[in-house]
């Protein structure tokens, strides 16, 4: 689960740097804001396509989101 916690921290970091809300990302990737929040907390796992969707919505590379894992 440490992997998902680090990925979640990276998602939150880039989301906040860009001034996006949880809802902004949720709408972009087709989930509810609570799901994005749970991704950020490392509470739920995501598959590679979902990780790619999140990276695209944040304007970063998928490798940026897994940095430090």
């Amino acid at each position: 689960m440490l992997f998902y916690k680090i990925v979640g921290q990276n998602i939150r970091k880039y989301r906040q740097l860009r001034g996006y809300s949880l809802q902004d990302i949720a709408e972009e990737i087709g989930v509810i804001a609570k799901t994005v929040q749970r991704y950020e907390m490392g509470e739920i796992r995501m598959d590679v396509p979902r990780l790619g969707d999140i990276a695209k919505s944040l304007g970063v590379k998928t490798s940026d989101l897994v940095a430090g894992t």
Side-chain angles (χ1 to χ4, degrees):
M1 282 308 267
L2 181 60
F3 173 84
Y4 293 101
K5 287 196 178 288
I6 293 170
V7 170
Q9 290 169 356
N10 289 335
I11 292 170
R12 179 179 299 126
K13 175 180 76 174
Y14 287 111
R15 180 178 61 78
Q16 291 176 340
L17 281 172
R18 283 154 177 73
Y20 296 157
S21 69
L22 290 169
Q23 187 64 35
D24 292 334
I25 301 303
E27 288 175 4
E28 188 77 26
I29 65 171
V31 298
I32 62 172
K34 181 67 176 174
T35 301
V36 177
Q37 182 180 38
R38 292 184 70 201
Y39 286 149
E40 289 186 355
M41 299 297 292
E43 293 176 0
I44 55 176
R45 297 177 180 190
M46 68 194 88
D47 57 18
V48 173
R50 174 67 71 206
L51 187 60
D53 292 341
I54 294 170
K56 182 178 177 184
S57 72
L58 292 170
V60 299
K61 298 176 187 171
T62 304
S63 60
D64 293 329
L65 297 183
V66 298
T69 60

